[in-house]
Amino acid sequence: MVNKLIENYDKLNDKLKGRSKCSAFECAVLCRYLIKLIDNFNINKSEFSFFYRDLISMLDLPRSKCPKYHEYLDYNEELNFRSTLKQIIIAKLEKLTYKKSSLKNKIEFVSNLYNLNGIEQEIVSFYIFKVINRCVDELHKYFDGFLYEEFEIFGIQVLELKIWTLNRIKKELFKKGVFIKQGINDSKFVLNSKILEVFGNPEIKTKNQIKNLLLGKSQKTELNWKDFEHLTKEQNIALNILTSAIKNHAKGINILLYGSVGTGKTQFAKLIANKAKCDMYLVSAEFMDKEASRKDRLSDLSSKQTILSKSSNSCLLFDEAEDVMNRGFTEFGSASKAYLNTLIEETPIPIFWTTNNIYDVDPAFLRRMTYTVEFEKLTDDIRLNIWKRVIRKNKFKIDNKKLVELNKNYEIPPSLITNAVKTTKLINGYQDDFEIFVENVAKVATKKKNVKKKKEFEMKEYNDNLVNTDLDIKDLTAKIKTCGKLNFSLCLYGEPGTGKSLYARYLAKELRVEVIMKRASDLISKYVGETEQNIADAFAEAKSKKAMLIFDEADSFLQNRSNAVRNWEISQVNEMLTWMEAHEYPFVCTTNLLDTLDEASLRRFTFKIKFDFMTKEQVNTAFDHFFGIKNADVSIKGLTAGDFATVKKKADFLCITDLDELPKMLEDEVRVKKSKELQNSVGF
């Protein structure tokens, strides 16, 4: 659709620029402009002769009566030229008649939508004519162009306004979203993109077409009230705020929805609006088939605020609010922070803002929100209910067992579930095809190639007799179970393979809580602020599931801040520390590099437990546990349960059972280790 608009817009411009005559209405407007301007010519003589010939042709002036124009005129000849031309144009204007004009009707309707007064309508009309009429577009080149920009030329010479009056009008037109700044220093401005489309596209004819283009479609949701049962309190508050704001015509009502990707923030906003029987319109994220800039989006916001201010039952949705609310955005070439503050504080209609990354939003904007709702990651049960409703609504058949499996494997937002269902039905596909499309949309949502969740960790038989720690973990496990409290944290540090992660999972099993395992690759992002968001999401997910959160390779994001080089390195640690302080459920960090952790993080762990290499007695116990060899008298320093597991796998693969071979294979595992503690020695 947008490509078609652009194509028609270009064709129309080519047609208008190449034609020889104006319509009666255009001719009347151009004549009126020229009569006002003609006494104030500051002619660029080297170029004006070409413009003059086109002007005669376009206005269909009587060629025999038009004064001859020469490149070089003396003062008296120039005065005579101006006087004669002015009289001819006045005579032409007096003869012009037109009963109706679609262009005139369009201008009047748009002016009414934006509540423009007479002078504002004149200025907007001038810029509309600049788009559709080449002569108007070129007028400013010949009349005092070196002193003023076109806005001031038109205002001073045609409308006969003072410069301070013009500045006030300019400010008001910006505020209404009619104009958008353009250029390096923002000194030049043009009509906003949507208004340009209205007058640049010949297919836009009716009032409804114009309004639909400027506002877009009213937003509808495919979810229902029960889909957000986990946010019942928040739903009721948001609905009450919206209905009260509409009833009382309250200004400055802003509701911020923030949190994890795919948790239904946009659908929640639409649902509240639909429940309140309120028309919701979306602030555009693209214009003319291009990604909208910050200025474009703010202009569209202002434009829709102005148009809808007359409506008694409307609201706006601004998705991806970080586009305009981000910290430290450049003032160069963009609307100022104060400008956005005003848009928020004085909005005549309620606005729903959504963002996935609240950490990048300037606090000044957050303070101006009427109400905020945090969206944590959906639990498996809540997401499964949404899957079922979408499947049922679209009358798609799928085995319940398969649906449960898909729900566990793919964490995708409800809108993408709907897309996958519709695509499958489009090709008359079955549940296997549905899984293909689910995986496809999941890649888009997560920005990852491998989106299918790994199979749940199969808990191996845990043997605490093979774990060498500086704290009696048998006793610790028993006391934690007896205590019944879950607000504890563990820092498990030591050599690789010593059983840190395995113990954490064993403890979770004993406490009968779910495990959420996060590795550095799951959390660290190349985008500024996204790592902090991922950390927050992990804690939020653990909180919602009352699960044990395990951070493997914690040294990757808890490094000592005194060694930080970049600001984001510090902010990541700060984010982790903040959550560690407030988290109410079991939290475990495992690391091989305790010395690199930030000191503040170490103070926040309830227990710090060192996992060391096996003792000689444990080595011999491991021979019995892994190979069924009792009373093995082997002395190898630096072994871990992980080494035995590796050798066991290797021996099974090579069918090795010889007792003499197994110690050699274990020595090989130790020999490649870089632990300082071993110091290249083998044996106790």
Side-chain angles (χ1 to χ4, degrees):
M1 179 63 185
V2 177
N3 287 329
K4 192 174 182 181
L5 287 174
I6 295 172
E7 184 181 344
N8 289 333
Y9 177 77
D10 292 338
K11 285 181 179 178
L12 178 68
N13 274 340
D14 291 340
K15 180 181 177 182
L16 291 171
K17 289 180 179 179
R19 73 185 182 183
S20 58
K21 296 181 181 179
C22 299
S23 67
F25 175 62
E26 289 177 75
C27 187
V29 172
L30 187 52
C31 285
R32 186 162 53 84
Y33 289 171
L34 287 167
I35 291 168
K36 290 282 189 177
L37 287 167
I38 208 160
D39 290 331
N40 299 311
F41 275 4
N42 180 47
I43 301 174
N44 182 331
K45 294 179 174 156
S46 62
E47 297 180 7
F48 186 72
S49 57
F50 299 102
F51 175 76
Y52 182 50
R53 286 197 294 270
D54 289 342
L55 189 64
I56 292 173
S57 175
M58 191 166 281
L59 296 179
D60 196 23
L61 299 176
R63 292 180 179 274
S64 58
K65 295 183 180 180
C66 286
K68 302 293 182 183
Y69 179 81
H70 302 289
E71 187 173 354
Y72 299 101
L73 297 173
D74 62 26
Y75 180 71
N76 291 327
E77 287 177 324
E78 188 170 320
L79 288 178
N80 183 56
F81 171 80
R82 294 183 183 189
S83 176
T84 305
L85 181 60
K86 184 176 180 180
Q87 293 304 315
I88 291 172
I89 292 175
I90 290 173
K92 175 69 177 179
L93 180 60
E94 290 173 348
K95 292 178 182 179
L96 284 172
T97 57
Y98 55 90
K99 294 181 180 179
K100 290 184 178 181
S101 167
S102 60
L103 179 59
K104 184 175 186 296
N105 291 339
K106 266 190 181 183
I107 291 174
E108 288 178 350
F109 181 67
V110 170
S111 298
N112 183 57
L113 283 178
Y114 286 98
N115 197 28
L116 303 181
N117 59 34
I119 293 177
E120 289 172 340
Q121 182 174 331
E122 284 280 1
I123 291 172
V124 171
S125 298
F126 170 71
Y127 277 86
I128 290 169
F129 272 86
K130 272 173 55 62
V131 174
I132 64 174
N133 190 298
R134 181 174 54 80
C135 280
V136 175
D137 186 32
E138 294 184 2
L139 275 177
H140 72 280
K141 295 180 182 178
Y142 310 103
F143 310 128
D144 287 340
F146 63 93
L147 289 178
Y148 302 103
E149 52 124 343
E150 57 201 37
F151 177 83
E152 292 168 335
I153 295 169
F154 180 75
I156 293 170
Q157 297 186 351
V158 175
L159 301 180
E160 299 177 346
L161 300 173
K162 301 295 183 182
I163 190 69
W164 52 84
T165 305
L166 279 174
N167 289 334
R168 178 181 55 78
I169 295 171
K170 179 187 286 189
K171 182 178 179 181
E172 189 62 27
L173 290 173
F174 277 127
K175 185 178 178 181
K176 291 181 177 181
V178 176
F179 286 104
I180 183 172
K181 293 180 180 179
Q182 188 182 65
I184 296 176
N185 298 316
D186 289 347
S187 57
K188 184 179 180 182
F189 65 94
V190 295
L191 290 171
N192 78 43
S193 302
K194 295 291 179 68
I195 295 178
L196 286 175
E197 286 185 39
V198 168
F199 293 95
N201 182 8
E203 294 182 3
I204 304 298
K205 298 176 182 178
T206 67
K207 292 181 179 180
N208 281 337
Q209 286 177 316
I210 294 173
K211 199 167 182 179
N212 288 339
L213 180 57
L214 293 175
L215 286 177
K217 294 180 180 179
S218 180
Q219 300 296 302
K220 303 296 180 185
T221 182
E222 296 182 345
L223 301 184
N224 58 48
W225 203 250
K226 290 184 179 179
D227 288 323
F228 293 97
E229 286 179 336
H230 57 294
L231 293 171
T232 301
K233 177 184 175 183
E234 290 81 357
Q235 281 184 124
N236 292 328
I237 293 174
L239 179 61
N240 190 24
I241 290 173
L242 180 60
T243 52
S244 298
I246 291 172
K247 181 180 179 180
N248 298 308
H249 305 288
K251 291 185 177 182
I253 302 301
N254 296 274
I255 298 176
L256 176 66
L257 313 177
Y258 68 95
S260 302
V261 177
T263 48
K265 296 182 290 296
T266 300
Q267 293 298 325
F268 180 91
K270 293 177 182 179
L271 181 62
I272 297 299
N274 293 168
K275 191 78 171 177
K277 297 180 180 180
C278 170
D279 293 324
M280 171 176 275
Y281 297 96
L282 183 67
V283 175
S284 301
E286 63 176 40
F287 292 92
M288 301 297 280
D289 206 24
K290 292 183 179 179
E291 183 180 356
S293 66
R294 184 175 190 272
K295 287 190 285 186
D296 288 326
R297 299 205 75 190
L298 288 178
S299 174
D300 195 52
L301 172 62
S302 301
S303 171
K304 288 183 165 82
Q305 282 178 317
T306 302
I307 295 172
L308 295 173
S309 61
K310 298 178 182 179
S311 170
S312 59
N313 195 34
S314 298
C315 65
L316 283 172
L317 171 60
F318 200 118
D319 254 334
E320 309 294 344
E322 60 269 22
D323 283 355
V324 298
M325 290 183 172
N326 57 305
R327 296 170 185 260
F329 60 79
T330 174
E331 299 289 345
F332 182 73
S334 64
S336 70
K337 183 174 174 179
Y339 173 68
L340 179 53
N341 284 342
T342 302
L343 287 180
I344 295 172
E345 291 173 346
E346 299 180 4
T347 179
I349 59 171
I351 304 176
F352 284 83
W353 306 80
T354 75
T355 179
N356 300 327
N357 187 6
I358 196 173
Y359 304 95
D360 204 33
V361 175
D362 194 296
F365 302 135
L366 296 178
R367 290 196 299 270
R368 289 170 167 79
M369 294 296 120
T370 309
Y371 183 59
T372 63
V373 181
E374 180 180 7
F375 283 70
E376 299 176 346
K377 277 199 172 184
L378 301 177
T379 64
D380 289 346
D381 290 341
I382 292 172
R383 195 170 59 252
L384 180 60
N385 287 334
I386 294 174
W387 281 74
K388 288 180 177 178
R389 288 193 184 100
V390 172
I391 296 292
R392 188 165 55 249
K393 183 176 181 179
N394 288 276
K395 299 178 180 179
F396 180 68
K397 293 183 179 180
I398 183 172
D399 180 67
N400 187 64
K401 185 178 179 181
K402 184 66 175 179
L403 189 60
V404 171
E405 178 189 332
L406 290 175
N407 178 52
K408 286 185 176 180
N409 289 340
Y410 302 99
E411 293 183 1
I412 59 175
S415 58
L416 294 184
I417 297 172
T418 304
N419 290 345
V421 172
K422 289 181 177 179
T423 307
T424 308
K425 290 188 70 176
L426 181 66
I427 65 169
N428 295 319
Y430 299 96
Q431 63 182 29
D432 289 341
D433 302 298
F434 177 56
E435 183 171 7
I436 292 173
F437 291 122
V438 166
E439 183 169 5
N440 184 262
V441 296
K443 288 179 180 179
V444 176
T446 61
K447 301 176 184 175
K448 294 179 181 178
K449 291 184 179 180
N450 301 317
V451 293
K452 189 172 182 179
K453 279 188 175 181
K454 296 179 181 179
K455 290 184 179 180
E456 289 293 326
F457 178 85
E458 294 181 7
M459 185 65 190
K460 301 174 184 177
E461 183 183 351
Y462 176 74
N463 188 339
D464 48 23
N465 291 322
L466 302 180
V467 179
N468 181 19
T469 60
D470 62 351
L471 184 70
D472 187 343
I473 55 174
K474 286 184 183 179
D475 182 59
L476 177 64
T477 303
K479 287 180 177 177
I480 290 176
K481 287 177 65 177
T482 304
C483 177
K485 295 180 180 179
L486 294 176
N487 59 336
F488 65 89
S489 57
L490 304 176
C491 176
L492 310 181
Y493 65 96
E495 299 292 338
T498 49
K500 300 183 291 294
S501 298
L502 191 61
Y503 169 68
R505 289 183 180 275
Y506 167 74
L507 179 59
K509 184 179 179 182
E510 290 293 299
L511 296 174
R512 297 182 180 179
V513 296
E514 185 180 341
V515 168
I516 296 174
M517 170 72 82
K518 297 293 181 181
R519 296 174 177 81
S521 58
D522 299 321
L523 300 174
I524 295 176
S525 170
K526 63 182 178 180
Y527 300 106
V528 175
E530 196 163 290
T531 299
E532 291 90 327
Q533 181 65 58
N534 292 339
I535 291 170
D537 288 347
F539 277 98
E541 182 182 1
K543 179 183 177 182
S544 65
K545 296 180 178 181
K546 299 180 180 179
M548 175 182 285
L549 178 60
I550 303 175
F551 278 1
D552 205 10
E553 306 166 14
D555 43 277
S556 299
F557 33 77
L558 272 179
Q559 292 186 12
N560 198 316
R561 286 169 293 180
S562 61
N563 298 326
V565 177
R566 302 171 183 85
N567 288 336
W568 54 262
E569 293 174 326
I570 297 175
S571 65
Q572 289 175 11
V573 177
N574 290 341
E575 184 67 23
M576 180 71 82
L577 296 178
T578 301
W579 279 101
M580 287 173 65
E581 192 76 36
H583 196 52
E584 302 171 358
Y585 297 95
F587 170 61
V588 181
C589 274
T590 69
T591 178
N592 305 327
L593 304 169
L594 181 70
D595 294 341
T596 65
L597 298 190
D598 192 272
E599 290 184 9
S601 70
L602 294 176
R603 292 196 300 271
R604 284 170 168 78
F605 287 108
T606 315
F607 302 100
K608 293 173 277 291
I609 307 172
K610 181 180 180 180
F611 282 66
D612 210 341
F613 296 123
M614 287 175 155
T615 64
K616 183 177 179 180
E617 291 74 17
Q618 287 175 324
V619 169
N620 292 304
T621 301
F623 268 95
D624 184 16
H625 180 80
F626 285 95
F627 305 113
I629 300 173
K630 298 183 181 296
N631 303 318
D633 188 17
V634 177
S635 297
I636 302 175
K637 184 179 180 181
L639 286 176
T640 67
D643 296 329
F644 274 90
T646 301
V647 170
K648 168 74 166 128
K649 184 177 180 180
K650 190 188 300 183
D652 288 345
F653 184 79
L654 298 174
C655 300
I656 295 174
T657 57
D658 189 352
L659 176 60
D660 293 334
E661 286 295 323
L662 295 175
K664 291 178 182 178
M665 295 170 71
L666 289 167
E667 287 176 359
D668 290 340
E669 294 298 320
V670 174
R671 193 171 287 112
V672 297
K673 294 183 179 181
K674 298 179 181 180
S675 172
K676 294 180 181 179
E677 186 178 336
L678 295 177
Q679 297 179 346
N680 299 320
S681 65
V682 176
F684 285 92

